[in-house]
Amino acid sequence: MAANGNGEVAMNGNGAAPARKPKGRLPSITTSDKHHGVCHDMSAPTVKAQTIDELHSLQKKKSAPTTPIKGFQGTFAALSEEERQKQQLQSISASLASLTRETGPKVVRGDPASKNQTSPRVHQQHVAEPTISASDSSLKFTHVLYNLSPAELYEQAIHYEKGSFITSTGALATLSGAKTGRAPRDKRVVKDDVTGEELWWGKGSPNIEMDEHTFLVNRERAVDYLNSLDKVFVNDQFLNWDPENRIKVRIVSARAYHSLFMHNMCIRPTPEELEDFGTPDFTIYNAGQFPCNRYTHYMTSSTSIDLNLARREMVILGTQYAGEMKKGLFSVMHYLMPKRQILSLHSGCNMGKDGDVALFFGLSGTGKTTLSTDPNRYLIGDDEHCWTETGVSNIEGGCYAKCIDLSREKEPDIWNAIKFGTVLENVVFEEHTREVDYADKSVTENTRASYPIEYIPNAKIPCVGPHPKNVILLACDAFGVLPPVSKLNLAQTMYHFISGYTALVAGTEEGVKEPRATFSACFGAAFIMMHPTKYAAMLAEKMQKHGATGWLVNTGWSGGSYGSGNRIKLAYTRKIIDAIHSGSLLKAEYKKTEVFGLEIPTAVEGVPSEILDPVNTWSNKLGYKDTLMKLAGLFKNNFEIFTDHKIGKGSELTGEILAAGPNF
């Protein structure tokens, strides 16, 4: 083969180039007669495509249908795939229906940016035309991205949502906008004839009322916003691993980040379970990018999180913080489950190899996540649970862990769970390497990671267990006067459960210069719906029936208050928790403290005996007494809002609970 003066290749008479030795070190390319002398690189087969578009079409395999037919079981078993998809889209269209227009939008599956993904023929099969108040919005299709996989949601977030990046470990880093935490003052609950009697209202209650009309105004605003978009994300998922009490939830949102977050936090249905998912039990409309109208009755800001228990709907306006969805559903479970005589709990839960289950209650900073995520025990869940007649079950399908100051050494399981599929909220990372700096608070101190519970190596799947043997109440006492561990009787367990005590220290919140007591009823006052004594009575009944023991564990200070004493070593707290799990602490000798009347052990293996009674660790005994009385007074003042509420027919149990508090 030779090139002529025009740069063309000269061929010999047979159509083949004359042979010659290759120059330099380039490898020779052989010819084959069956290819008529044309040179071919035989290292790989040729691509069976004639155009770039055809080449791209070969890249993606046709996936199995979302709701495949398995034999003849399930609601849709006798239907074709086209009919199943039609019914599914009709259900979504009904969810997005405007109350004033009575019908939902024209919905179709798929991303509008993808070519040839939809066809008019499918549209016509499931769309109902609006009957009144027709507008331009009735002429367009709303594309539904239904139960997308994490990989698909990554693509959507990175392509369309500013502030979305892949970190060095494969997690998706996102921003929640102006709101980087929950907005409890903007949460509203519809008060009607039923909820007016059943829910806890008034002083101390987290339930701020609104009326039905205002809810519908906000619902209309959210639905109109979602229908105006080219595409919405829809998640159909479950709450509660107990199959007998599972709740079907639908989340409609405008952001891929929100869809991935809920994919992680709720229980992910199998394709077979989606076959007969049908109508959801509860629906969230997350229009958080769009503000509420501040001139609407009951609105005090551009943010509103509205819960209607009769309609079983939740509307989010004016906040993109994903935690509002998670905690909103938890509030719903705090209403629905007790009506079934099931106790809903804001707690961590783990199980030993012998089947012994422990519940962990505690507010932020008490060590609930750290102590319940134990490498020597199975994790049932880190935050939300139900206690039924058969045992405990996790409400969620994932974990939502704080990331501030996260390290591999202190929290190896959480550290290793931050990988592909995990959502990292509001973290700061190095621009080039994409390595996250977990100590950086530039965006917020409330940085978070959301990941499926399967990412924890010792997670128990399914997330259910037998009845608990131990109920552990955690308090970070910055006053330094509570013992490291106390055994509680039933009345004391109820008293401290209703109180929900911990203490904030300097740096936790702006303006906190010295220890500040904080109380959160049932260790989750922001989410409970009924009066705290309702949950406390159910807890006491179940503990008594199944022989569970209550414990109060102080993970805070000893030898003085914050600033003068020292925080109790985590190693000592772990030894105490181990002794509770093993049952050895039940066999210890006990003595009673003054004022609070707590039973404290005289010895715990691996823990210095002198720290078990806090008075021993204070050099200033008078200072100890004064601080103890100060904390006791704070407990008394906090409990006053509960004293007029009776449990059962009489007030005897209420009297027992009051007597279980501090005595001056």
Side-chain angles (χ1 to χ4, degrees):
M1 184 183 296
N4 59 24
N6 297 323
E8 298 171 345
V9 178
M11 311 297 289
N12 62 21
N14 297 324
R20 66 176 183 180
K21 293 181 180 179
K23 294 181 180 180
R25 291 178 291 178
L26 292 173
S28 61
I29 299 178
T30 60
T31 62
S32 172
D33 288 339
K34 58 182 160 185
H35 291 292
H36 308 292
V38 179
C39 296
H40 286 272
D41 182 354
M42 305 302 290
S43 60
T46 56
V47 176
K48 298 176 181 178
Q50 302 299 316
T51 65
I52 289 292
D53 285 345
E54 188 178 345
L55 175 63
H56 287 172
S57 72
L58 296 174
Q59 187 180 25
K60 299 176 184 176
K61 297 169 68 176
K62 286 284 186 182
S63 60
T66 307
T67 54
I69 297 174
K70 296 285 185 180
F72 289 96
Q73 298 178 355
T75 302
F76 304 127
L79 302 177
S80 66
E81 169 58 22
E82 198 170 273
E83 282 294 317
R84 283 202 308 279
Q85 189 177 119
K86 174 184 173 182
Q87 290 195 8
Q88 189 182 75
L89 291 172
Q90 282 177 334
S91 174
I92 294 170
S93 180
S95 292
L96 283 164
S98 165
L99 296 180
T100 59
R101 289 180 287 282
E102 298 180 353
T103 57
K106 301 175 181 178
V107 294
V108 63
R109 287 174 68 103
D111 186 352
S114 301
K115 294 182 179 180
N116 302 321
Q117 201 159 13
T118 61
S119 66
R121 182 176 63 83
V122 177
H123 297 167
Q124 296 302 319
Q125 290 183 346
H126 66 262
V127 175
E129 294 293 336
T131 56
I132 58 173
S133 302
S135 66
D136 287 353
S137 64
S138 67
L139 303 178
K140 64 178 281 293
F141 290 107
T142 297
H143 290 74
V144 173
L145 281 68
Y146 181 75
N147 273 31
L148 294 191
S149 67
E152 292 172 306
L153 291 168
Y154 265 57
E155 292 168 1
Q156 290 287 328
I158 292 166
H159 193 67
Y160 298 108
E161 296 180 9
K162 193 172 182 179
S164 295
F165 299 91
I166 300 178
T167 68
S168 59
T169 63
L172 181 70
T174 65
L175 294 172
S176 65
K179 297 289 176 68
T180 57
R182 289 184 300 103
R185 294 180 181 177
D186 294 311
K187 179 187 172 186
R188 303 282 185 272
V189 182
V190 173
K191 188 175 184 179
D192 53 31
D193 292 341
V194 176
T195 58
E197 294 295 324
E198 292 181 333
L199 301 192
W200 178 28
W201 305 98
K203 184 179 179 181
S205 168
N207 301 316
I208 306 172
E209 70 176 86
M210 72 186 308
D211 60 26
E212 173 86 4
H213 175 77
T214 305
F215 174 85
L216 296 180
V217 169
N218 282 353
R219 183 192 187 278
E220 194 79 351
R221 191 172 176 91
V223 166
D224 281 349
Y225 170 74
L226 292 167
N227 288 342
S228 73
L229 303 174
D230 286 335
K231 60 187 175 187
V232 295
F233 298 89
V234 175
N235 293 46
D236 279 350
Q237 296 180 263
F238 299 122
L239 295 179
N240 199 351
W241 285 83
D242 173 14
E244 296 297 319
N245 295 286
R246 192 166 65 178
I247 302 298
K248 299 183 293 184
V249 294
R250 171 169 293 164
I251 304 100
V252 185
S253 56
R255 292 194 61 180
Y257 140 54
H258 289 153
S259 186
L260 180 58
F261 177 89
M262 295 309 285
H263 170 87
N264 290 344
M265 297 312 303
C266 295
I267 299 167
R268 294 157 289 282
T270 64
E272 291 79 9
E273 288 170 331
L274 278 176
E275 281 190 20
D276 56 356
F277 190 87
T279 304
D281 299 314
F282 196 87
T283 304
I284 292 179
Y285 300 97
N286 189 342
Q289 292 158 295
F290 200 63
C292 68
N293 186 334
R294 288 180 292 171
Y295 291 101
T296 306
H297 193 37
Y298 294 101
M299 299 301 104
T300 55
S301 74
S302 60
T303 298
S304 190
I305 302 100
D306 306 328
L307 194 59
N308 189 324
L309 294 170
R311 290 183 58 89
R312 299 201 173 183
E313 292 180 333
M314 180 179 179
V315 170
I316 298 175
L317 291 164
T319 174
Q320 297 180 65
Y321 181 65
E324 295 288 8
M325 295 182 288
K326 164 189 160 67
K327 292 303 186 183
L329 289 176
F330 189 33
S331 296
V332 171
M333 295 296 279
H334 265 316
Y335 174 73
L336 295 178
M337 293 297 104
K339 289 172 72 69
R340 300 184 185 185
Q341 302 306 310
I342 295 170
L343 177 59
S344 47
L345 300 165
H346 188 208
S347 70
C349 182
N350 65 24
M351 184 179 79
K353 293 179 174 58
D354 296 328
D356 58 297
V357 169
L359 295 173
F360 293 82
F361 295 89
L363 303 178
S364 180
T366 58
K368 181 180 71 169
T369 301
T370 301
L371 296 171
S372 61
T373 307
D374 187 331
N376 298 314
R377 294 173 65 84
Y378 299 111
L379 179 67
I380 293 176
D382 74 328
D383 197 43
E384 302 174 9
H385 293 87
C386 287
W387 191 346
T388 70
E389 287 300 310
T390 57
V392 290
S393 59
N394 190 352
I395 289 174
E396 300 180 300
C399 303
Y400 194 34
K402 280 192 171 182
C403 290
I404 195 67
D405 296 325
L406 180 69
S407 68
R408 188 196 300 269
E409 294 72 30
K410 292 182 180 178
E411 303 283 1
D413 285 344
I414 297 174
W415 179 276
N416 293 327
I418 298 177
K419 55 187 179 181
F420 180 83
T422 297
V423 176
L424 281 174
E425 261 182 340
N426 301 316
V427 298
V428 176
F429 52 83
E430 203 281 325
E431 185 176 14
H432 176 59
T433 64
R434 295 289 197 267
E435 292 183 359
V436 178
D437 182 356
Y438 291 109
D440 197 316
K441 307 173 186 176
S442 298
V443 180
T444 177
E445 187 170 326
N446 187 35
T447 53
R448 295 274 185 164
S450 162
Y451 49 86
I453 195 167
E454 301 94 288
Y455 284 14
I456 300 296
N458 59 330
K460 184 183 181 300
I461 308 296
C463 302
V464 296
H467 295 290
K469 288 181 62 177
N470 294 292
V471 174
I472 302 169
L473 312 182
L474 301 170
C476 177
D477 176 30
F479 293 91
V481 295
L482 288 183
V485 60
S486 313
K487 184 175 68 172
L488 305 176
N489 60 35
L490 210 55
Q492 287 175 321
T493 303
M494 295 177 74
Y495 181 89
H496 287 279
F497 177 70
I498 293 172
S499 297
Y501 164 72
T502 194
L504 301 176
V505 297
T508 305
E509 286 185 3
E510 190 175 351
V512 178
K513 304 298 182 185
E514 61 180 22
R516 180 193 296 171
T518 181
F519 298 89
S520 183
C522 307
F523 292 94
F527 322 119
I528 61 176
M529 303 297 287
M530 302 174 184
H531 196 277
T533 53
K534 167 75 173 178
Y535 303 97
M538 291 182 72
L539 177 64
E541 180 186 358
K542 289 185 177 297
M543 288 180 65
Q544 193 169 35
K545 182 176 181 180
H546 302 291
T549 305
W551 306 89
L552 179 64
V553 174
N554 174 23
T555 61
W557 271 255
S558 178
S561 299
Y562 173 82
S564 60
N566 297 301
R567 188 156 189 183
I568 298 169
K569 291 182 179 180
L570 179 59
Y572 295 159
T573 303
R574 288 195 186 280
K575 288 291 186 182
I576 289 169
I577 298 297
D578 288 344
I580 291 173
H581 290 325
S582 69
S584 63
L585 204 53
L586 276 175
K587 303 172 184 176
E589 291 185 12
Y590 286 85
K591 66 177 184 179
K592 185 172 288 191
T593 67
E594 58 180 345
V595 182
F596 277 88
L598 298 170
E599 296 279 345
I600 59 174
T602 57
V604 179
E605 186 179 352
V607 180
S609 296
E610 61 270 17
I611 75 167
L612 295 175
D613 190 343
V615 69
N616 296 334
T617 63
W618 282 65
S619 57
N620 182 354
K621 305 300 182 185
L622 184 59
Y624 166 78
K625 183 74 171 181
D626 289 343
T627 307
L628 179 65
M629 296 301 290
K630 178 182 178 181
L631 182 61
L634 294 173
F635 266 84
K636 285 271 191 182
N637 292 338
N638 171 73
F639 215 82
E640 284 179 0
I641 61 175
F642 308 119
T643 55
D644 61 347
H645 195 87
K646 295 181 180 180
I647 300 178
K649 295 179 180 179
S651 60
E652 294 81 8
L653 196 51
T654 305
E656 284 185 44
I657 297 172
L658 289 173
N663 292 306
F664 295 88

